Amino acid sequence: MKINVQYFAKLREERGLSNETLNSEAKTSLELFNEIKEKYHFSMSHENLRVAVNEEFCEWDSTLKDNDMIVFIPPVAGG
């Protein structure tokens, strides 16, 4: 299935892109993140991130569907 992924902050820097569409067989947000982390060698683990599916925060075990929009959100520092 096709999954639309957006990256912010450190993940955007590590990936070199703000967003992309991926083909994946991942069934959950966590499976997708682990797949992407291994492929692109992200330094952050999912424990340090929030995940949103279709603009709503969700749990890591949320089920993915074709054409979902996934956002992995790292901690943000203010100032």
Side-chain angles (χ1 to χ4, degrees), residues 8-22:
F8 292 106
K10 185 169 179 83
L11 295 179
R12 182 180 58 222
E13 291 172 19
E14 291 180 351
R15 177 64 185 102
L17 294 173
S18 296
N19 58 67
E20 65 183 328
T21 300
L22 301 171

Side-chain angles (χ1 to χ4, degrees), residues 2 6-7 25 33 35 38 46 55 58 61 66 71:
K2 290 187 187 224
Q6 288 187 326
Y7 305 105
E25 296 300 318
F33 180 75
E35 180 181 304
E38 183 176 320
H46 79 278
E55 300 182 359
C58 63
D61 61 355
D66 195 38
V71 182

Side-chain angles (χ1 to χ4, degrees), residues 3 26 33 42 48 63 65 68 72 76-77:
I3 302 290
F33 180 75
F42 288 155
N48 298 319
T63 302
K65 298 181 293 300
D68 274 349
F72 299 114
V76 179

Side-chain angles (χ1 to χ4, degrees), residues 30-56:
L30 181 57
E31 286 179 18
L32 179 65
F33 180 75
N34 287 336
E35 180 181 304
I36 293 170
K37 180 179 179 178
E38 183 176 320
K39 184 175 184 177
Y40 300 125
H41 308 288
F42 288 155
S43 62
M44 299 182 81
S45 73
H46 79 278
E47 290 95 358
N48 298 319
L49 303 169
R50 295 283 315 264
V51 62
V53 177
N54 300 323
E55 300 182 359
E56 292 187 27

